[in-house]
Amino acid sequence: METLIAFAVALVVITVASLRYRLPPFLTLVGTSVLFGFLAGMPAETVIAAITGGAGRIFSILGIVIFCGVGIAQVLRESGRVEGIVADIRGLVRRPLATAGTAGYLLSVPLMCGITSFVILAPILTHLSSDGRASKTLLYCAGVAGMISYVLLYPAPVVYSTITALGLSGRPWDIDLVALPLSLLLLAGLLLAMRGRMPPAEEAEEPAAGRNRRAWLPFIVILGMLAIGSLVPPLHALANINLALLAGLFAALATVPGDVREKALTRGTKNAGIIIFDLAGAGALGGVIAASTFPADVTALVLGFLPVTILPFVIAALVQAAQGSRVVTAAVTAAILATIPAVTAIDPLALVLMVSAGAFMFSYVSDPFFWLLKRTTGDDFSAVVRNYTLPLSIAGLVTLAAALVIQAVP
């Protein structure tokens, strides 16, 4: 059980390093990986191998995906086309709150990053309402809505990482037959819960008209390739998310002037590098955790009190609390579950949903998005917990309930 103590110490160290010393996530997570390994009694060679292997595994899964997603986002931002996308959504959904939620929900999947979609939407959303409190509500709504689709829908990185790491066979799009209505239900609940914070009758400032329909071209290319690859067997290679994102990035780059293209690639590469390094750091921690006796210790502890069907959720929630990255939570949890034979009795769809449910939980100081929301809104810790941490935890519990229902139905 020494790994459980080491895990608790790791949580404290990450919290202190993030809150008091404001160390970057990569340095915090890699340093904590070394500390966890030594506290868990692992040989130094094993610790180093687990750190490099875990970081490399995350890069191999998400390197191209993150670079292309951030690149597309930066092209749209530098060319001013995000305003056109929001204007098009606003034309269909008139209310500012629904616009913020819908935009966050829709953009996080093709951009492959809920944080990236929020960053490019935030400057626009703040102009949808002249009321300061309402503007903060719009920002929280877009942030939480983006995380809902990012965590639940395929081919977003969370579900993609879970399916890939577990080696689940079959048609991965089948997950969306359940995840899509579930995510829309959560989105509707979010909009209803936040509706009371908006002014009853306010004339919002209209964003710029979306005259340039080329703003949607990258998303059309991505979704088109994924659909064709899934429906036409000879063209199955097109359904590879890496190829689809690369095609979407090239489509975005081909429709902007050279100066915009150069600026977008320069800034996009920098932002993608930061994100990838943070994810790789979290992957390093996950690799050490998976290589230790932590999976066996948690299994023994949980199975003494809870049924095995809850195990994936518990592990995912603990990993999420430790390192904050939902993608890494999915990849690490799947790696841990692969070492536990008992989970093979769980329905694959329920298993994926349970991991996603755990990835919703405990989004606090180890979560980079928590800090981004705090900086963007200017709110204190308690406000960010109320408007971000708690709504996501509720979404996690609802998702867990759906997974348990699927598991219970023959």
Side-chain angles (χ1 to χ4, degrees), residues 53-81:
R57 188 179 305 109
I58 291 300
F59 184 85
S60 67
I61 294 175
L62 296 173
I64 294 176
V65 169
I66 295 298
F67 182 89
C68 293
V70 173
I72 292 171
Q74 199 64 44
V75 170
L76 295 176
R77 190 174 187 178
E78 296 293 338
S79 61
R81 292 176 181 174

Side-chain angles (χ1 to χ4, degrees), residues 21 86 110 114-115 122 194 251-252 291 321:
Y21 298 103
V86 174
I115 296 178
M194 291 189 165

Side-chain angles (χ1 to χ4, degrees), residues 129-153:
S129 176
S130 59
D131 182 89
R133 180 170 176 266
S135 293
K136 291 182 180 181
T137 299
L138 294 178
L139 292 173
Y140 283 120
C141 183
V144 175
M147 286 300 157
I148 288 173
S149 58
Y150 179 70
V151 171
L152 283 176
L153 297 182

Side-chain angles (χ1 to χ4, degrees), residues 225-247:
M225 287 185 62
L226 293 174
I228 293 173
S230 299
L231 298 175
V232 183
L235 301 177
H236 179 68
L238 296 180
N240 184 289
I241 191 62
N242 295 287
L243 290 178
L245 263 294
L246 276 173

Side-chain angles (χ1 to χ4, degrees), residues 279-312:
L279 292 176
L285 176 59
V288 175
I289 292 174
S292 70
T293 60
F294 181 83
D297 293 342
V298 170
T299 302
L301 179 64
V302 172
L303 292 183
F305 302 95
L306 298 172
V308 68
T309 51
I310 302 293
L311 186 60

Side-chain angles (χ1 to χ4, degrees), residues 261-349:
R261 183 163 54 244
E262 182 179 358
K263 186 183 298 184
L265 285 175
T266 300
R267 295 182 177 178
T269 300
K270 177 182 177 181
N271 294 336
I274 294 173
I275 295 173
I276 291 171
F277 264 99
D278 289 347
L279 292 176
L285 176 59
V288 175
I289 292 174
S292 70
T293 60
F294 181 83
D297 293 342
V298 170
T299 302
L301 179 64
V302 172
L303 292 183
F305 302 95
L306 298 172
V308 68
T309 51
I310 302 293
L311 186 60
F313 170 76
V314 173
I315 294 177
L318 289 174
V319 174
Q320 176 63 27
Q323 47 77 44
S325 167
R326 292 163 186 82
V327 178
V328 175
T329 291
V332 171
T333 302
I336 293 173
L337 294 176
T339 67
I340 304 174
V343 300
T344 57
I346 301 177
D347 179 274
L349 176 56

